[in-house]
Amino acid sequence: MKIYVDAMGGDNAPQAIVEGTLEALRKDPELQVVLGGPVGEVEPLLGDAADVRDRISLDDAPEVITNHESPVMGVRKKTNSATVKGMLAVRDGSCDGFVSAGSTGAVLAGGMFRLGRIPGIERPALAPLMPNGKGHFMLIDCGANVDCKPEYLVQFGLMGDAYMRGVMGMEKPRIGLINIGAEAEKGNALVKATYPLMEQAPYHFVGNVEARDITGDQADVLVADGFSGNLVLKFMEGVAGTLMGIIKKEMMADLRGKLSGLIGKPAFRRVKKLMDYTEIGGAPLLGVQGAVVKAHGSSNAHAFASAIGQCRKMIRGRVVETISEGVKAMAPRE
């Protein structure tokens, strides 16, 4: 298995990206990696990689698509960027997957215009895994498609179902639709039109899920338009950070709090691990013709290694093929 890695994407590139790549290579002896970026900047960081150096190839990609430029124009003009070269490597079959912590817009545009959509898929979607106390659920879409049609949301459910079965090993994932009420007649025009279509879709639809129940383990895949999904994602990140800050502040407020914190430290460590995005690594871009994972822009080495691990699971779980088969099953018969 060979994965193309954008060495220059993210706030901590290229140092954290290279370190994370080495961590991933040491975990999986069957993995090979192509590091895309300016060779003069990337190669010096491989000084302690002797044990895995024979499984690393360098692809000189001197151009970088930043967050401060149009993603579409960047993909069109900067053909010597790792984003474009990596997508093309997946398209031509020389690599099996692509991972980047760079511009989300550029990864989405590269997936759309260089890899192409899976036939029958209207819109690709970003789908991070989020903690719910018992494990993780998938949130799809979290920002790739701000304005949606009912058909898009139905397909988001299909793609989430394929991922959770292929990567997470779930036999029958529960697919829910984020709404302001549990009843079928609740919501805006989009979700009311989507509900009956999802009832007829070839997956296990469990109905509407209210915001207060998102983390209550009512569904394994939660479907939303990109606007609502992004609000959910950012709100959860903010609440988690605020709560951890409050707990830390109160534990340090007096001697009793410090003693309680010392006793409860192992439990708090476990909670932090469950909430830690570095254990997941990134969000798959579902709906394009290849395994693509968008890592968090602030990824450290471990987070990026986890993102590469997620890409490996996508490839081995045949997620792209499963989505393609699902689309064919949903196509109206003549």
Side-chain angles (χ1 to χ4, degrees):
M1 181 186 299
K2 183 180 289 186
I3 294 175
Y4 194 107
V5 168
D6 174 10
M8 301 306 293
D11 302 336
N12 302 311
Q15 183 75 41
I17 305 305
V18 173
E19 290 177 0
T21 299
L22 298 181
E23 180 181 331
L25 285 164
R26 286 167 180 146
K27 287 181 179 178
D28 185 353
E30 297 180 1
L31 177 65
Q32 298 180 51
V33 168
V34 177
L35 280 171
V39 171
E41 294 185 49
V42 176
E43 192 167 27
L45 301 176
L46 298 174
D48 62 346
D51 57 324
V52 294
R53 187 64 180 85
D54 61 332
R55 291 188 281 131
I56 301 173
S57 302
L58 297 180
D59 185 22
D60 192 29
E63 297 179 316
V64 178
I65 302 175
T66 71
N67 290 315
H68 307 293
E69 59 187 302
S70 164
V72 174
M73 293 306 295
V75 167
R76 287 179 177 174
K77 291 184 175 181
K78 293 186 174 180
T79 55
N80 279 322
S81 65
T83 301
V84 173
K85 298 184 79 174
M87 294 291 186
L88 293 177
V90 175
R91 190 180 73 180
D92 66 26
S94 61
C95 286
D96 302 299
F98 173 79
V99 183
S100 174
S103 164
T104 300
V107 172
L108 178 60
M112 289 271 290
F113 302 125
R114 299 302 182 186
L115 265 181
R117 290 172 291 166
I118 293 171
I121 290 293
E122 297 287 342
R123 292 289 189 277
L126 284 168
L129 295 177
M130 310 286 291
N132 63 6
K134 294 184 179 180
H136 295 89
F137 69 90
M138 171 174 279
L139 176 64
I140 181 170
D141 177 30
C142 74
N145 305 278
V146 175
D147 297 304
C148 289
K149 298 178 180 179
E151 294 78 12
Y152 301 173
L153 270 61
V154 176
Q155 290 188 346
F156 293 168
L158 174 73
M159 295 190 291
D161 175 75
Y163 185 92
M164 298 306 275
R165 285 191 286 122
V167 175
M168 305 302 288
M170 292 185 179
E171 184 176 345
K172 192 177 182 181
R174 299 162 297 166
I175 315 299
L177 178 63
I178 293 179
N179 200 350
I180 59 171
E183 299 84 358
E185 65 273 11
K186 287 286 185 71
N188 57 20
L190 174 62
V191 294
K192 285 194 285 187
T194 300
Y195 191 100
L197 297 179
M198 294 185 81
E199 283 187 306
Q200 300 299 317
Y203 46 72
H204 182 39
F205 178 54
V206 295
N208 291 326
V209 177
E210 296 186 71
R212 66 187 176 199
D213 297 320
I214 285 176
T215 57
D217 194 33
Q218 290 196 6
D220 304 302
V221 176
L222 283 169
V223 175
D225 62 273
F227 183 86
S228 303
N230 193 263
L231 289 175
V232 170
L233 174 69
K234 298 293 176 61
F235 182 74
M236 285 187 65
E237 290 178 341
V239 169
T242 299
L243 284 176
M244 294 302 289
I246 291 173
I247 292 171
K248 184 176 180 180
K249 179 181 177 182
E250 290 302 317
M251 286 196 306
M252 299 301 292
D254 53 34
L255 180 59
R256 185 166 53 184
K258 291 178 182 179
L259 290 173
S260 299
L262 185 63
I263 295 171
K265 191 173 182 179
F268 287 122
R269 188 180 293 116
R270 291 193 296 271
V271 171
K272 184 179 180 182
K273 184 177 178 66
L274 284 173
M275 302 294 289
D276 190 359
Y277 79 90
T278 67
E279 297 298 323
I280 299 297
L285 176 62
L286 300 178
V288 297
Q289 298 193 75
V292 175
V293 172
K294 169 60 180 72
H296 202 291
S298 60
S299 293
N300 58 23
H302 181 64
F304 200 81
S306 297
I308 292 176
Q310 195 174 13
C311 189
R312 285 168 33 227
K313 291 178 181 177
M314 280 187 71
I315 298 163
R316 288 175 177 151
R318 298 182 67 255
V319 171
V320 175
E321 292 84 354
T322 304
I323 292 173
S324 181
E325 292 163 5
V327 172
K328 292 177 183 176
M330 287 179 63
R333 297 178 180 177
E334 298 181 357

